């Protein structure tokens, strides 16, 4: 990987002359325009402060649909429309988790039910907590040790990975599978340690999944609470009691929001997008308000600067990424049904932090070509064109053969606040957010021109 | 620059084999140790919350000297000592800036006197404000237009530069020279728009300098206030009134704090450092508590992991960087007097943000050698080995011929909070801070082994 990088940079420094000068001037103008006049930051403030979190199916989500429609029009889209999507409706409702220590006292724990989890139907469910530190440890437990117990998966988020997405990937199975794992051996409900890189007590929600119809509840607790519980469990038996009302409430018609500027040469489509929905806590600022306002910024910048676009540049504000991916799936299906040729799609769904690179999921030739532009991006702090992932919402497009990519911002702070009450506007830095929009606009300018 | 980079990476990918494997394992172990067990973050919390800001000459600074001494011992230094330094004492005292608009009402402005500025001696000084947007505009003003006026230099921090240090460098002359410029044409005092990348109303202090004995006061206001003042001045005459007690209060004996682990092969010295003093507002968290705790982390890591150090590795917590550089000057002088050979020095004084590179100020051969290690650093997000600056405190060492360097963290957030009440511990992210210590430890490991 490293050798390839060295070689490609060398190749680049040869092949780049001729076409570079004009492009590097255009790169600088894009950057200057966005850093000085970009609206993403104020638009994000508007979205997060005036609408706030916006889970699929909520009234707030429907408000954000209208909001995105309006912002795309203001940005200068030639065409704006809503794409119908049937989305699952999950509702949290009231919830509480308590533990009883050996002194007989009940104590409330800060917690969040995991997204898509069923609750207790408003009744108390209680049992003795049994803790495991890993899946391996859990697999070894005989069923009778788990039966009627509360299973506490206390797997810590690894600090060792440099890219925190790897730590997240490493721990994600606990969130996704805890309930089904516990149910399989007769557990009453599952508690997980949050998928959190922070040293605090903030619980992180996020999607879980049931393997079958034995749907027991799953909840997350913060790291500090998890540590304290671990210490307590060393010396005593602890009873946990859950009361929650969450659960799936059927389906509902909702919308993704789409806006585009029409291609001057053809109607082939370049997609830039993020997801409009968020979890039902915090403000969905980094996840993924950032991706939405950055994508709109790309369109606005093309329009305002009058950059000639050969192909159609389309912003997609996807519905329901967090707990169903129905927006992305529907978008792919519609594209196929309408026989629309998609040249390229990029998503921003890793937070509004300073960009470091672009992850590329495409054939080697296209990947090589994009890498050959590296030197143009280098002055903007964007140097890393590796990775093999490109965003959940555009994975259906990728499955149809479309070359896809994802903006890769610095990942250090993301999993401190991801899916929590702390994912708020004040955690977003203006320049970092704008630089992400700069990098995506620059990349789309190159692809529009060369593909 | 770009071509050189490409070529050197290619060279690297050839020359690196053989020596790399062991080094890349050592890099990973250093990273793992610091990300999991590093103490910089909790030590920074201690320094910022229990001592707080610590301007040279203050009681808090003297407390921080004892604190650093203690932390260096706890980190495992073989030897810890204080280096005497005569430092200038500047005291802020009470201060206020008011403006009177045409309705006759006085209104308080948020402000900070610039560091090293003389005040009004507790008396009111007032006059009509005259605003200029740039030095060029000011130079054209005839003296009689400035005489007895208050000169408001309203030069905005440029958002266009990708590295915010360039925007800072571009605007710094206004802070440094505003008072002398205004005095030269008979102005009563100077107001500057803060050197701030933020869109808020937080005033930024920082060092100014007098060219001669005509020492009129200089103060900074926040960006919002500056914008509002600009609008007001378009339609009316405005009187400003300053009352301040700041000024230089002579000199005082103080100390830099030094700790080292002795070289196993020789007593040649590798320095890693930051500055222990801060401005007298906020908590001096990013500037430069971060550099101090990261430097101590380097020493702790060598000691704890038992990395064999051929040369002496010395942590220097420099006194008085902010308003005199006396610690750095004294350190250089003492090194010369004692005939100590310094192999290398690196400073961390650009904030505790995620590292992106190392700025190198040294001859081409050494620079090329360090660049040839780039691939080892790449997995840690450290990819940029350009730049020609290496930190104020070690500039006297550089002047003596020592190869010097500075850690280059992401710069996007720094000038939002630099020299303000907002430079507080909560602005520092644990992983970002620790990764800076990782990069410095890795670099010193390579230099210790190869030089």
């Amino acid at each position: 990987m490293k050798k390839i990088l060295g070689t490609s940079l060398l190749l680049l420094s040869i092949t780049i002359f001729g076409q570079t000068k004009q492009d590097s001037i255009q790169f600088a103008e894009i950057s200057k325009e966005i850093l000085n006049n970009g609206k993403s930051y104020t638009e994000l403030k508007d979205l997060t402060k005036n609408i706030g979190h916006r889970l699929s199916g909520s009234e707030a989500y429907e408000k954000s649909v209208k909001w995105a429609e309006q912002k795309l029009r203001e940005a200068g889209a030639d065409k704006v429309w809503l794409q119908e999507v049937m989305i699952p409706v999950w509702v949290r409702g009231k919830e509480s988790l308590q533990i009883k220590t050996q002194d007989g006292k009940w104590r409330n724990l800060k917690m969040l039910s995991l997204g898509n989890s069923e609750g207790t139907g408003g009744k108390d469910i209680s049992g003795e907590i049994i803790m495991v530190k890993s899946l391996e440890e859990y697999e070894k437990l005989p069923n009778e040790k788990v039966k009627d117990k509360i299973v506490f998966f206390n797997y810590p988020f690894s600090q060792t990975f440099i890219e925190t997405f790897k730590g997240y990937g490493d721990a994600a199975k606990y969130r996704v599978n805890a309930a089904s794992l516990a149910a399989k051996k007769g557990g009453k409900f599952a508690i997980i340690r949050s998928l959190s890189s922070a040293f605090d007590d903030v619980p992180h929600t996020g999607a879980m999944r049931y393997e079958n119809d034995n749907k027991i509840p799953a909840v997350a607790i913060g790291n500090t609470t998890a540590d304290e519980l671990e210490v307590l469990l060393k010396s005593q038996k602890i009873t946990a009691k859950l009361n929650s009302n969450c659960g799936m409430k059927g389906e509902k018609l909702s919308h993704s929001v789409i806006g585009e500027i029409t291609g001057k040469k053809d109607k082939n489509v370049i997609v830039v997008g993020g997801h409009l929905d968020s979890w039902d806590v915090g403000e969905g600022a980094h996840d993924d308000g950032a991706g939405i306002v950055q994508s709109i910024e790309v369109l606005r910048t093309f329009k305002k600067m009058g950059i000639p676009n050969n192909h159609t540049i389309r912003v997609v504000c996807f519905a329901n990424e967090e707990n169903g991916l129905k927006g992305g799936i529907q978008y792919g299906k519609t594209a196929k049904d309408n026989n629309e040729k998609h040249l390229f799609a990029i998503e921003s769904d890793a937070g509004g932090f300073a960009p470091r690179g672009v992850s590329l999921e495409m054939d080697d030739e296209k990947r090589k070509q994009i890498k050959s532009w590296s030197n143009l991006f280098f002055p903007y702090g964007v140097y890393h064109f590796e990775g093999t992932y490109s965003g959940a919402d555009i994975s259906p497009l990728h499955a149809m053969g479309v070359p896809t990519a994802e903006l890769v911002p610095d990942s250090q702070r993301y999993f401190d606040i991801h899916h929590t009450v702390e994912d708020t506007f004040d955690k977003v830095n203006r320049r970092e957010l704008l630089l992400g929009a700069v990098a995506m606009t620059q990349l789309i300018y190159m692809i529009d021109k060369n593909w």
Side-chain angles (χ1 to χ4, degrees), chain A:
Chain A
M1 186 176 95
K2 285 162 202 164
K3 188 159 185 195
I4 291 166
L5 180 79
T7 316
S8 73
L9 277 177
L10 181 63
L11 282 176
L12 159 65
S13 52
I14 296 161
T15 58
I16 208 165
F17 293 101
Q19 87 167 63
T20 301
K21 207 176 164 186
Q22 185 199 337
D23 292 334
S24 75
I25 291 169
Q26 189 64 275
F27 269 47
E29 283 174 3
I30 288 168
S31 173
K32 193 176 170 184
E33 165 59 25
I34 294 179
L35 285 173
N36 285 285
N37 307 316
K39 295 195 173 171
S40 338
Y41 187 67
T42 47
E43 286 185 350
L44 185 61
K45 187 174 183 180
D46 186 24
L47 176 64
T48 52
K49 295 301 176 189
N50 295 327
I51 296 178
H53 62 69
R54 46 200 179 278
L55 184 62
S56 291
S58 66
E59 206 181 311
Y61 181 75
E62 297 309 318
K63 274 190 201 167
S64 74
V65 166
K66 290 202 170 58
W67 179 91
E69 207 184 341
Q70 171 71 12
K71 292 301 155 192
L72 280 163
R73 289 194 205 285
E74 289 171 12
D78 299 327
K79 230 177 106 182
V80 179
W81 71 100
L82 304 186
Q83 182 168 80
E84 292 194 344
V85 195
M86 287 303 293
I87 50 134
V89 180
W90 181 79
V91 175
R92 180 177 303 281
K94 239 181 111 178
E95 57 189 13
S96 73
L97 176 66
Q98 294 181 295
I99 55 168
K100 188 172 73 174
T101 41
Q102 61 190 7
D103 57 8
K105 285 188 186 149
W106 287 98
R107 173 183 154 201
N108 270 309
L109 300 189
K110 278 175 78 174
M111 55 78 77
L112 283 174
S113 290
L114 294 180
N116 296 350
S117 173
E118 293 300 318
T120 69
K123 293 174 192 155
D124 288 348
I125 296 186
S126 61
E128 189 194 330
I129 298 178
I130 178 169
M131 184 192 86
V132 291
K133 294 287 281 184
S134 70
L135 216 51
E136 294 65 38
E137 192 184 336
Y138 183 70
E139 300 295 1
K140 285 181 199 150
L141 281 181
N143 290 9
E144 63 267 25
K145 286 241 174 188
V146 178
K147 191 163 161 40
D148 293 332
K149 297 281 194 332
I150 314 305
V151 186
F152 170 33
F153 292 94
N154 191 19
Y155 183 78
F157 190 103
S158 170
Q159 293 289 343
T160 303
F161 297 106
I162 302 305
E163 290 163 28
T164 58
F165 278 85
K166 291 186 181 159
Y168 179 66
D170 171 63
K173 55 182 174 288
Y174 291 92
R175 191 186 73 203
V176 174
N177 303 324
S180 291
L181 286 163
K184 215 156 41 180
K185 296 191 181 186
K188 286 184 168 175
F189 66 89
I191 302 174
I192 66 158
R193 183 188 183 96
S194 286
L195 274 56
S196 167
S197 52
F199 286 68
D200 62 21
D201 203 29
V202 178
H204 294 227
T205 189
M208 55 81 69
R209 200 167 50 212
Y210 289 111
E211 270 177 29
N212 54 46
D213 283 342
N214 187 5
K215 297 183 176 178
I216 67 169
V219 304
I221 56 175
N223 283 337
T224 315
T225 294
D227 288 339
E228 287 169 5
L229 195 51
E230 177 173 354
V231 170
L232 286 171
L233 284 163
K234 278 181 184 153
S235 64
Q236 58 188 286
K237 290 192 173 181
I238 294 184
T239 305
K241 183 165 72 186
L242 177 68
N243 192 311
S244 59
N245 293 281
C246 57
M248 300 302 308
K249 314 286 177 193
E251 283 190 319
K252 191 175 163 178
L253 182 67
S254 190
H255 299 90
S256 294
V257 186
I258 305 176
E260 66 182 30
I261 44 178
T262 316
K264 308 286 181 288
K265 266 178 53 182
D266 61 47
K267 302 291 174 281
N268 295 339
V269 180
I270 292 172
V271 161
V272 54
H275 63 86
L276 190 53
D277 64 312
S278 77
W279 279 108
D280 61 333
V281 290
E283 298 170 355
H286 278 292
D287 188 14
D288 183 28
I292 292 295
V293 296
Q294 286 172 329
S295 298
I296 299 173
E297 192 84 82
V298 172
L299 190 149
R300 176 188 300 113
T301 306
F302 264 83
K303 198 77 183 183
K304 183 171 171 197
M305 292 179 66
I307 303 172
N309 57 307
N310 294 326
H311 315 292
T312 293
I313 295 171
R314 181 180 289 174
V315 175
V316 187
C317 306
F318 292 97
N320 185 234
E321 190 270 351
E322 292 294 6
N323 65 329
L325 208 67
K326 299 298 182 194
I329 293 165
Q330 183 61 54
Y331 183 83
K333 190 177 174 307
T334 308
K336 202 172 191 174
D337 291 349
N338 294 348
N339 225 351
E340 285 183 329
K341 183 169 164 56
H342 278 66
L343 286 181
F344 174 67
I346 183 168
E347 178 155 20
S348 166
D349 183 22
F353 307 98
R356 283 182 174 258
V358 181
S359 173
L360 306 172
E361 210 176 354
M362 55 190 65
D363 66 41
D364 278 353
E365 200 188 329
K366 289 212 158 50
R367 181 190 296 272
K368 222 160 120 181
Q369 189 187 12
I370 291 181
K371 281 190 183 183
S372 80
W373 303 331
S374 307
N375 272 11
L376 287 166
F377 287 96
F378 195 81
Y380 302 90
V382 175
Y383 62 97
H384 198 244
F385 292 85
E386 304 296 333
T388 52
Y389 180 72
S390 51
D393 292 301
I394 55 176
S395 58
L397 283 179
H398 184 76
M400 290 157 56
V402 178
T404 50
E406 186 170 37
L407 184 68
V408 179
D410 191 288
S411 73
Q412 300 311 318
R413 284 131 66 206
Y414 195 48
F415 293 103
D416 285 4
I417 51 102
H418 182 246
H419 296 176
T420 74
V421 294
E422 298 287 330
D423 183 6
T424 48
F425 177 70
D426 58 297
K427 308 300 188 308
V428 180
N429 175 269
R430 180 181 173 277
R431 288 181 55 90
E432 292 185 349
L433 180 75
L434 292 173
L435 283 171
V438 167
M440 291 205 296
T441 309
Q442 290 167 335
L443 180 59
I444 288 174
Y445 158 76
M446 289 301 284
I447 284 175
D448 179 72
K449 185 180 156 183
N450 291 287
W451 285 14

